[in-house]
Amino acid sequence: MAEFHELGKNGEAIASEFLREKGYKILETNWRKGPLEIDIIAQKDKTLVIAEVKTRSTNYFGEPEEFVTRAKQKNLIKAANTYILYHNLDVEARFDIISILIRGEQYKVHHIEDAFYPTL
């Protein structure tokens, strides 16, 4: 497995545990429907949380959250709409970014709630 892929998987596991510790219920990880993918789908109170996890070993080229491009945001919005329709949910949804820097055995988690909003 490529090193960057392993780093990403580790970051997603850290993010899931971080959310659990904050009282979130993890509904899905790595949810896919066709080309659409969501790293973590969680629930907190009555809000559906769509979380994109970005993991890096360095912030030399920028913070991990800076790599959630406008195109990625549009794909996440499409994926969230698909998930909500597929499961026939009537919920408020929120888009979060969980940025993780891993250096050896140490890591730093930055959780950005309401990181972006769906546009019309």
Side-chain angles (χ1 to χ4, degrees):
M1 184 178 294
E3 186 176 329
F4 70 90
H5 189 67
E6 188 68 30
L7 183 70
K9 289 291 176 195
N10 289 341
E12 289 175 7
I14 290 168
S16 291
E17 185 58 29
F18 173 85
L19 290 174
R20 276 189 204 92
E21 289 174 3
K22 297 287 184 188
Y24 290 77
K25 178 181 178 186
I26 305 299
L27 303 176
E28 306 264 2
T29 57
N30 295 309
W31 181 85
R32 291 185 180 275
K33 187 77 169 166
L36 303 172
E37 190 251 338
I38 301 171
D39 292 335
I40 299 173
I41 302 171
Q43 186 175 355
K44 176 90 181 231
D45 302 321
K46 295 181 181 182
T47 302
L48 187 70
V49 178
I50 307 302
E52 174 67 9
V53 180
K54 286 296 179 191
T55 308
R56 299 286 186 270
S57 59
T58 179
N59 58 355
Y60 183 78
F61 296 106
E63 297 300 323
E65 65 268 18
E66 295 173 19
F67 293 90
V68 181
T69 64
R70 193 81 174 121
K72 180 62 178 176
Q73 291 175 17
K74 286 182 179 183
N75 282 335
L76 283 169
I77 292 163
K78 281 184 197 174
N81 284 334
T82 301
Y83 181 85
I84 290 166
L85 289 171
Y86 183 79
H87 291 281
N88 195 29
L89 301 175
D90 183 19
V91 295
E92 290 291 322
R94 184 179 87 204
F95 295 89
D96 292 4
I97 297 173
I98 301 174
S99 166
I100 301 174
L101 280 173
I102 298 178
R103 292 189 181 112
E105 297 296 315
Q106 302 293 316
Y107 61 86
K108 180 178 131 186
V109 177
H110 181 209
H111 181 196
I112 305 164
E113 295 182 10
D114 287 317
F116 60 91
Y117 300 94
T119 55
L120 299 175

